[in-house]
C-alpha cells in the first residue's frame, strides 16, 4: 500500500508536467496533421478456375499441374517487377494523356497533375500521343537504365509511378481456399487508385498468358520442324521405293515371286513328265527298231523322210515355244501368238501326213516280220513313237529355254527382295518417328489449348470501382498517441529521476536511502500561498515531534536528546530552540547545550567526555538535556555521549542530497552505538514539503474542500466523508 501511495503521490507531484507537456504535444500533433492526406481504397476480384475449372487434358484442373501452386504463381506474377513496370509506364501515359490542370477527373486530380506536369521535361511530354498504346510504346522505347533518364528515375522514385511504391501499396490475397484472388490498392488520389488496378488487370493477364504459352510455343515449333523434316524424308523414301519398283517393273513383289515359284514348280513337274515320256518313247522305239530290223534302217536312210522329220522336229519346237509364250502373254500379243501357233500346228499336221504317206510308200508290201506281226502295224507304231519322241524333245528344248528364263527371273528377283525390304524398313523407321513426333506435336497443341482455356478463365468477378470516399484517417489515433506517448515519456523521465535521485525529500525515500527510521518532518516556510499558516503548521510539526520524543524519556534517569547532523545548515539550532521553548511552556525542565556556546568542539573535555556532566556539570537529573553537536563531517563525538542519549536524532534537510560521505558518517555513527542504544537513532527532516509533513501530523491547513479532497485521495479515502474541519 505504501508503494501505491508513493506512486500516486509521485504522479500528483508532477501533475503539471503530466498535463502541460502532453497538451503541448497534442497541439503540435494537431498542427502537423491539419493537412493530413486522405487515402482511397479500391479492389478487384479475379476468378482463376485453376482448381475447380475443367481441363481438356484430364488433369482435373484448368491450369494443369498442381492447382495450389498455379494460384501462388499467378499471385507472384501480379507482383513481379516486370508486371508492375508495365503498369507504371501505362499509368503514366494515361495520366499524361487525360490529366487536366484545372479540373479533377477519373484519371488524376488537378493538383497532383499540376505537380506531375511541372516536373516532366518537354522531350518526355512530346512522347505522349493521342493513342494510349502508342504513347506507351514511345515511353518504353525512351526509357534507358541511366540516372539521366527521366523515366528511369520516375519508375524508381515517384510516389505514384515507382515500382517499389506500387508494390508496397498493392495487396494480393487468395480468398480462403477458393479459386478467387482479391487485389487491393490504396493511394491518396482516387484516379490513380482506380486506374492502377484497371491497368493491372489487363497487364497481369497478358503476362500470365505469355509466360504460360512460352512453356509450349518453343516445343510446338520444335515438333513442327521435326514433323516437316520427317514428312519430307518419308516422302523421299516412298518416292524412292516407287521409282525403284517402276524401274524394275515390280507391282507386287510378294505376289510376283509367288507366281514365279508356282511357275517354277509347274515347269519342274512338266519337265519331269516329259523326261519320263522321253525315256518311255526311246525304249519303245528301240523295241520297234528291233522288230522292224532292216526296214527301219531303210526308212531312216530316206532323205525325204529325214527332211520331213527335221521339219516336224522344228515345228514341234516352235509350237512348244509358242505355247509357253502364250501362257505368259496377254492381250493383243496373245492373239498374235495364237494365230502363229495355229499356223504352226497346221504345218505340223501337214508334215505329219506327208511323213505318214512317205512311210506308206516305202513299205507297200504287206509282209510280216520275223515274229509274225504285220510290218505295216509296226512301222506305224514306230513312226508314231518317232513323232512323239521329236515332240518330246522339242518340248524339252522349249522348257530348257523357259528354265533359263526362270533362272534369269530368280537372279533378277532375288536381290530386289532384300533391297525392297531394306527400303520398307527404312520407310517404317521414318514413319514411326514421324508418328511419334506427330503425336508429341498434338499433345503440345492440346497443352496449348488447355493453357488458352486456363487463361480464358481469368475473369473479373468484381471490376475495380472508382473510389468516391476516402477511408477514415487515423488522425485521432495520432493525436491520442502523441498525448499518451508524451504523458508516458514524461512520467518515465521523472520516474527515472525519482529512482536515481538521492534527495531525501520524505519519509519513504529517506528510509529507503539511509535505512534509518524517520521520526518526523519539519515544514519549510511558505512565501506565498500558505505563508499565513506557517506558524500553525510549524507548531503542529513541533507538537508531533514532542509527542513522539516524550515516550522515550523516563523518570529517574538523565534524559538526553542528541541533535546530530552531517553538515551545517540543517536546522538543528532552530529545532533545539523551538523544542526548548515548547517543553518549557508545558512545564518541563529543559537544558539546551549548544557547541561553541556551552562547549567547544575542539575542547578535550568534549572530545574525551564520558558523561553529559562533562559538558554541563550543573545539569540536574530531572532536566531534559537537548544537546546540539557539531557537524559529523568536520568533528567527532565520543561513543559515551552517543550511548548516553535517550534519543539520537539525525537532523537533515529534506531537500538536500544524501551524499556518500553522509551515509558513511551515518554508518560510523551506527557502529559506535552499543546494543542497548541501537534503536535510539532516528532521522528528522527539515525544510520538508507539505505532503511529507502531513504524513506525520495529518492534514495541514487551510482546510478547503479541494484540499480535503486531495488529502482524502492521498490517504485512499475513496468513499470517506468530507472532513468536518473544512472551511
Amino acid at each position: 500500500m505504501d508503494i501505491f501511495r508513493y506512486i500516486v503521490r509521485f504522479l500528483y507531484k508532477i501533475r503539471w508536467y503530466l498535463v502541460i507537456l502532453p497538451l503541448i504535444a497534442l497541439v503540435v500533433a494537431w498542427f502537423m496533421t491539419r493537412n493530413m492526406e486522405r487515402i482511397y481504397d479500391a479492389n478487384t476480384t479475379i476468378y482463376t478456375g485453376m482448381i475447380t475449372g475443367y481441363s481438356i487434358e484430364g488433369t482435373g484442373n484448368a491450369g494443369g499441374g498442381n492447382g495450389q501452386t498455379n494460384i501462388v504463381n499467378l499471385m507472384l506474377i501480379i507482383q513481379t517487377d516486370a508486371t508492375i513496370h508495365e503498369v507504371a509506364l501505362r499509368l503514366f501515359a494515361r495520366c499524361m494523356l487525360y490529366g487536366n490542370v484545372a479540373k479533377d477527373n477519373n484519371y488524376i486530380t488537378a493538383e497532383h497533375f499540376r505537380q506531375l506536369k511541372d516536373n516532366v521535361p518537354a522531350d518526355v511530354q512530346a512522347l505522349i500521343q493521342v493513342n494510349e498504346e502508342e504513347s506507351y510504346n514511345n515511353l518504353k522505347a525512351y526509357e534507358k537504365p541511366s540516372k539521366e533518364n527521366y523515366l528511369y528515375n520516375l519508375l524508381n522514385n515517384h510516389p505514384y509511378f515507382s515500382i517499389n511504391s506500387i508494390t508496397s501499396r498493392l495487396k494480393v490475397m487468395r480468398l480462403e481456399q477458393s479459386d478467387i484472388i482479391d487485389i487491393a490498392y490504396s493511394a491518396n488520389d482516387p484516379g490513380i487508385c482506380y486506374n492502377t488496378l484497371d491497368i493491372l488487370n489487363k497487364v497481369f493477364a497478358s503476362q500470365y498468358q505469355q509466360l504460360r504459352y512460352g512453356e509450349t510455343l518453343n516445343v510446338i515449333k520444335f515438333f513442327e520442324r521435326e514433323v516437316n523434316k520427317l514428312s519430307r524424308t518419308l516422302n523421299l523414301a516412298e518416292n524412292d521405293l516407287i521409282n525403284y519398283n517402276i524401274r524394275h517393273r515390280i507391282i507386287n513383289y510378294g505376289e510376283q515371286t509367288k507366281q514365279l515359284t508356282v511357275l517354277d514348280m509347274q515347269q519342274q513337274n512338266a519337265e519331269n513328265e516329259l523326261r519320263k515320256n522321253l525315256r518311255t518313247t526311246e525304249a519303245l522305239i528301240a523295241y520297234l527298231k528291233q522288230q522292224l530290223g532292216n526296214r527301219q534302217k531303210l526308212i531312216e536312210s530316206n532323205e525325204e523322210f529325214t527332211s520331213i522329220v527335221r521339219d516336224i522336229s522344228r515345228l514341234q519346237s516352235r509350237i512348244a515355244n509358242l505355247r509357253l509364250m502364250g501362257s505368259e502373254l496377254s492381250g493383243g500379243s496373245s492373239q498374235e501368238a495364237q494365230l502363229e501357233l495355229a499356223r504352226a500346228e497346221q504345218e505340223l499336221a501337214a508334215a505329219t501326213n506327208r511323213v505318214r504317206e512317205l512311210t506308206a510308200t516305202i513299205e507297200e508290201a504287206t509282209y510280216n516280220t520275223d515274229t509274225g506281226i504285220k510290218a505295216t502295224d509296226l512301222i506305224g507304231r514306230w513312226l508314231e513313237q518317232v513323232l512323239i519322241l521329236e515332240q518330246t524333245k522339242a518340248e524339252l528344248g522349249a522348257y530348257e529355254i523357259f528354265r533359263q528364263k526362270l533362272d534369269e527371273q530368280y537372279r533378277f528377283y532375288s536381290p530386289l527382295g532384300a533391297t525392297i525390304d531394306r527400303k520398307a524398313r527404312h520407310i517404317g523407321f521414318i514413319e514411326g518417328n514421324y508418328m511419334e513426333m506427330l503425336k508429341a506435336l498434338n499433345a503440345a497443341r492440346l497443352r496449348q489449348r488447355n493453357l488458352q482455356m486456363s487463361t480464358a478463365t481469368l475473369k473479373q468477378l468484381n471490376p475495380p470501382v472508382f473510389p468516391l470516399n476516402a477511408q477514415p484517417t487515423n488522425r485521432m489515433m495520432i493525436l491520442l498517441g502523441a498525448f499518451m506517448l508524451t504523458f508516458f515519456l514524461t512520467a518515465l523521465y521523472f520516474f527515472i529521476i525519482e529512482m536515481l535521485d538521492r534527495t531525501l525529500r520524505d519519509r519513504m525515500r529517506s528510509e529507503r536511502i539511509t535505512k534509518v527510521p524517520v521520526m518526523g518532518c519539519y515544514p519549510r516556510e511558505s512565501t506565498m500561498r500558505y505563508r499565513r499558516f506557517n506558524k500553525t503548521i510549524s507548531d503542529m510539526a513541533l507538537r508531533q515531534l514532542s509527542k513522539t520524543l516524550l515516550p522515550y524519556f523516563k523518570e529517574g534517569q538523565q534524559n538526553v536528546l542528541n541533535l546530530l547532523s552531517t553538515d551545517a545548515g540543517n536546522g538543528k539550532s532552530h529545532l533545539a530552540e523551538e523544542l526548548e521553548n515548547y517543553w518549557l511552556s508545558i512545564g518541563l525542565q529543559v537544558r539546551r547545550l549548544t557547541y561553541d556556546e556551552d562547549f567547544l568542539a575542539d575542547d578535550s573535555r568534549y572530545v574525551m567526555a564520558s558523561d553529559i556532566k562533562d559538558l554541563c556539570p550543573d545539569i540536574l537529573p530531572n532536566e531534559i538535556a537537548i544537546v546540539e553537536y557539531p557537524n559529523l563531517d568536520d568533528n567527532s563525538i565520543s561513543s559515551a555521549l552517543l550511548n548516553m542519549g535517550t534519543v539520537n536524532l539525525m537532523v537533515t534537510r529534506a531537500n538536500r542530497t544524501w551524499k556518500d560521505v553522509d551515509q558513511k558518517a551515518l554508518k560510523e555513527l551506527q557502529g559506535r552505538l552499543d546494543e542497548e542504544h541501537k534503536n535510539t537513532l532516528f532521522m528528522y527532516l527539515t525544510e520538508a514539503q507539505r505532503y511529507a509533513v502531513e504524513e506525520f501530523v495529518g492534514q495541514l491547513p487551510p482546510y478547503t474542500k479541494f484540499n480535503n479532497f486531495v488529502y482524502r485521495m492521498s490517504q485512499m479515502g475513496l468513499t470517506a466523508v468530507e472532513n468536518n474541519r473544512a472551511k
Side-chain angles (χ1 to χ4, degrees):
M1 183 62 70
D2 285 346
I3 295 177
F4 181 74
R5 290 174 58 190
Y6 182 82
I7 293 175
V8 173
R9 187 183 299 160
F10 162 73
L11 295 176
Y12 181 75
K13 184 180 66 175
I14 62 172
R15 60 190 181 279
W16 297 117
Y17 293 101
L18 295 179
V19 172
I20 295 175
L21 292 180
L23 285 177
I24 293 175
L26 182 65
V27 172
V28 172
W30 176 86
F31 181 80
M32 295 181 66
T33 58
R34 69 189 187 282
N35 296 323
M36 191 174 183
E37 65 180 15
R38 307 296 299 275
I39 301 299
Y40 296 86
D41 289 335
N43 71 304
T44 181
T45 306
I46 307 297
Y47 173 76
T48 63
M50 292 182 174
I51 296 179
T52 59
Y54 172 73
S55 171
I56 60 177
E57 291 182 316
T59 57
N61 57 74
N66 187 291
Q68 304 286 344
T69 304
N70 290 337
I71 290 184
V72 173
N73 290 340
L74 179 60
M75 294 171 63
L76 293 177
I77 289 173
I78 295 174
Q79 302 175 79
T80 55
D81 287 352
T83 303
I84 303 302
H85 179 275
E86 183 175 349
V87 171
L89 272 184
R90 290 185 180 275
L91 180 64
F92 176 72
R94 181 176 291 186
C95 291
M96 290 298 296
L97 184 62
Y98 300 112
N100 192 324
V101 296
K103 183 180 179 182
D104 295 346
N105 55 29
N106 289 346
Y107 301 98
I108 188 173
T109 61
E111 178 185 359
H112 293 153
F113 181 67
R114 287 193 297 270
Q115 297 173 359
L116 174 64
K117 191 173 183 180
D118 291 342
N119 294 324
V120 178
D123 57 338
V124 176
Q125 294 188 25
L127 301 175
I128 306 301
Q129 304 298 320
V130 294
N131 182 271
E132 186 176 328
E133 187 66 27
E134 184 178 355
S135 300
Y136 165 73
N137 293 330
N138 293 340
L139 294 173
K140 187 176 181 181
Y142 178 83
E143 182 194 2
K144 295 292 185 297
S146 171
K147 292 182 179 180
E148 288 73 23
N149 188 274
Y150 174 79
L151 289 180
Y152 184 76
N153 288 296
L154 182 81
L155 296 178
N156 284 275
N157 300 313
H158 199 276
Y160 295 150
F161 309 111
S162 71
I163 297 175
N164 292 333
S165 176
I166 295 176
T167 304
S168 64
R169 289 182 276 129
L170 184 68
K171 297 180 180 179
V172 183
M173 61 180 296
R174 179 184 175 190
L175 298 182
E176 297 180 356
Q177 299 299 318
S178 65
D179 290 347
I180 301 175
I181 293 177
D182 183 77
I183 307 174
Y185 189 73
S186 60
N188 63 348
D189 189 301
I192 294 293
C193 183
Y194 166 75
N195 286 280
T196 300
L197 282 185
D198 182 59
I199 296 173
L200 179 64
N201 282 345
K202 301 173 183 176
V203 170
F204 89 80
S206 175
Q207 292 279 359
Y208 177 75
Q209 184 178 12
Q210 292 177 7
L211 289 174
R212 295 306 300 269
Y213 284 176
E215 298 176 359
T216 56
L217 283 177
N218 293 334
V219 177
I220 290 175
K221 291 179 180 178
F222 168 75
F223 284 134
E224 286 178 345
R225 290 194 301 269
E226 291 299 316
V227 166
N228 293 333
K229 178 180 176 181
L230 290 173
S231 177
R232 291 191 298 270
T233 305
L234 181 61
N235 289 333
L236 291 175
E238 289 176 343
N239 292 335
D240 180 62
L241 179 60
I242 292 172
N243 294 330
Y244 186 82
N245 289 337
I246 292 174
R247 287 197 308 271
H248 296 87
R249 301 173 58 115
I250 298 174
I251 298 175
N252 188 331
Y253 178 79
E255 189 63 30
Q256 285 178 278
T257 54
K258 179 180 178 182
Q259 294 298 327
L260 181 61
T261 304
V262 171
L263 189 60
D264 183 63
M265 292 299 296
Q266 292 176 354
Q267 173 70 16
Q268 291 285 352
N269 293 333
E271 285 186 2
N272 293 336
E273 187 66 27
L274 287 174
R275 293 186 187 281
K276 182 180 72 173
N277 294 337
L278 179 63
R279 297 293 182 269
T280 303
T281 302
E282 288 178 346
L284 187 56
I285 290 174
Y287 171 75
L288 291 175
K289 283 182 177 182
Q290 183 180 2
Q291 293 294 325
L292 290 173
N294 294 328
R295 290 182 180 83
Q296 176 263 340
K297 296 179 180 178
L298 179 63
I299 294 172
E300 289 180 347
S301 62
N302 188 288
E303 294 181 358
E304 186 178 359
F305 177 82
T306 303
S307 175
I308 294 174
V309 171
R310 283 198 302 270
D311 290 339
I312 289 174
S313 178
R314 179 180 56 79
L315 290 172
Q316 289 284 5
S317 298
R318 184 179 178 187
I319 290 171
N321 290 330
L322 288 174
R323 285 177 178 173
L324 289 175
M325 291 176 61
S327 64
E328 297 178 1
L329 298 176
S330 60
S333 299
S334 177
Q335 292 178 0
E336 293 177 0
Q338 291 295 330
L339 292 175
E340 187 175 355
L341 177 61
R343 288 194 298 270
E345 288 178 345
Q346 290 177 1
E347 291 179 1
L348 176 61
T352 303
N353 290 331
R354 286 198 307 272
V355 75
R356 290 183 184 277
E357 291 175 356
L358 178 60
T359 304
T361 303
I362 295 174
E363 188 61 47
E364 290 181 353
T366 58
Y367 52 88
N368 297 332
T369 61
D370 296 338
T371 60
I373 300 174
K374 290 184 178 180
T376 55
D377 293 337
L378 289 174
I379 292 173
R381 291 174 63 187
W382 171 78
L383 180 60
E384 182 181 358
Q385 293 300 319
V386 170
L387 294 176
I388 292 174
L389 178 61
E390 293 299 327
Q391 180 182 357
T392 302
K393 288 181 179 180
E395 290 179 355
L396 281 173
Y399 275 106
E400 185 65 28
I401 296 173
F402 189 65
R403 166 59 60 191
Q404 295 176 359
K405 291 183 178 180
L406 285 177
D407 291 341
E408 291 177 359
Q409 290 293 318
Y410 271 109
R411 286 191 296 272
F412 176 76
Y413 278 106
S414 292
L416 291 183
T419 304
I420 291 174
D421 289 342
R422 185 169 63 250
K423 291 182 178 295
R425 285 195 304 273
H426 180 61
I427 292 173
F429 174 75
I430 297 174
E431 185 178 13
N433 289 340
Y434 174 78
M435 295 304 296
E436 288 296 326
M437 287 294 175
L438 191 60
K439 181 180 179 181
L441 176 61
N442 291 333
R445 286 176 174 169
L446 184 65
R447 172 70 172 168
Q448 186 182 42
R449 295 301 177 215
N450 190 64
L451 293 177
Q452 288 178 347
M453 287 182 60
S454 68
T455 305
T457 58
L458 296 178
K459 297 180 180 179
Q460 297 184 43
L461 293 181
N462 298 316
V465 179
F466 186 87
L468 297 177
N469 300 317
Q471 65 179 3
T473 63
N474 57 350
R475 189 184 184 192
M476 290 301 298
M477 295 301 298
I478 293 175
L479 297 179
L480 181 61
F483 182 87
M484 295 302 298
L485 181 62
T486 306
F487 182 91
F488 173 76
L489 292 177
T490 302
L492 180 63
Y493 170 77
F494 283 103
F495 180 76
I496 293 174
I497 292 178
E498 185 75 13
M499 291 295 102
L500 299 178
D501 188 15
R502 290 182 61 84
T503 305
L504 297 179
R505 192 177 303 155
D506 52 37
R507 178 189 63 83
M508 189 176 295
R509 287 179 58 84
S510 178
E511 291 179 351
R512 178 173 62 85
I513 295 173
T514 65
K515 310 300 182 186
V516 175
V518 177
M519 183 170 284
C521 293
Y522 195 84
R524 66 179 178 181
E525 291 187 356
S526 175
T527 58
M528 295 185 63
R529 182 178 179 185
Y530 301 117
R531 69 175 175 220
R532 63 191 180 98
F533 300 103
N534 285 339
K535 177 60 176 171
T536 303
I537 295 172
S538 298
D539 291 343
M540 292 174 66
L542 192 62
R543 286 195 298 270
Q544 181 270 333
L545 177 60
S546 174
K547 181 183 65 175
T548 306
L549 286 173
L550 289 177
Y552 287 95
F553 298 153
K554 299 178 182 179
E555 294 183 1
Q557 68 176 20
Q558 185 69 59
N559 294 305
V560 178
L561 174 62
N562 292 329
L563 297 182
L564 310 170
S565 67
T566 57
D567 56 5
N570 286 298
K572 292 194 306 293
S573 300
H574 178 72
L575 185 62
E577 185 178 350
E578 291 293 326
L579 270 177
E580 180 186 16
N581 293 333
Y582 177 70
W583 281 344
L584 289 174
S585 68
I586 63 175
L588 296 177
Q589 294 183 359
V590 180
R591 176 72 64 92
R592 180 169 64 90
L593 303 177
T594 305
Y595 69 95
D596 291 341
E597 292 183 3
D598 299 305
F599 59 90
L600 297 176
D602 297 331
D603 192 353
S604 61
R605 287 189 308 159
Y606 166 72
V607 175
M608 302 302 294
S610 60
D611 191 276
I612 189 65
K613 292 183 179 295
D614 294 335
L615 301 181
C616 182
D618 59 346
I619 190 169
L620 299 176
N622 59 346
E623 286 184 323
I624 299 174
I626 301 176
V627 183
E628 181 184 351
Y629 290 99
N631 303 331
L632 297 179
D633 289 345
D634 301 326
N635 303 277
S636 64
I637 182 173
S638 65
S639 300
L641 293 177
L642 281 177
N643 291 312
M644 269 197 69
T646 306
V647 174
N648 294 301
L649 196 62
M650 178 69 73
V651 180
T652 184
R653 287 182 291 111
N655 55 4
R656 61 162 294 187
T657 300
W658 188 254
K659 302 180 290 296
D660 291 339
V661 66
D662 300 328
Q663 185 66 22
K664 181 181 178 182
L666 180 62
K667 285 191 174 299
E668 290 178 354
L669 191 66
Q670 288 176 320
R672 294 164 62 187
L673 291 172
D674 56 26
E675 292 296 328
E676 183 181 353
H677 295 85
K678 283 288 185 183
N679 298 325
T680 62
L681 182 62
F682 295 92
M683 296 288 294
Y684 190 82
L685 304 180
T686 60
E687 299 291 328
Q689 297 182 8
R690 285 175 59 89
Y691 78 90
V693 177
E694 285 180 336
E695 190 174 356
F696 292 94
V697 303
Q699 183 179 357
L700 299 177
Y703 302 107
T704 63
K705 290 185 178 181
F706 177 75
N707 287 347
N708 293 342
F709 173 77
V710 171
Y711 181 74
R712 189 171 68 251
M713 292 299 105
S714 68
Q715 299 300 311
M716 306 305 296
L718 302 180
T719 59
V721 180
E722 288 289 342
N723 194 329
N724 293 329
R725 298 169 60 185
K727 297 178 181 180

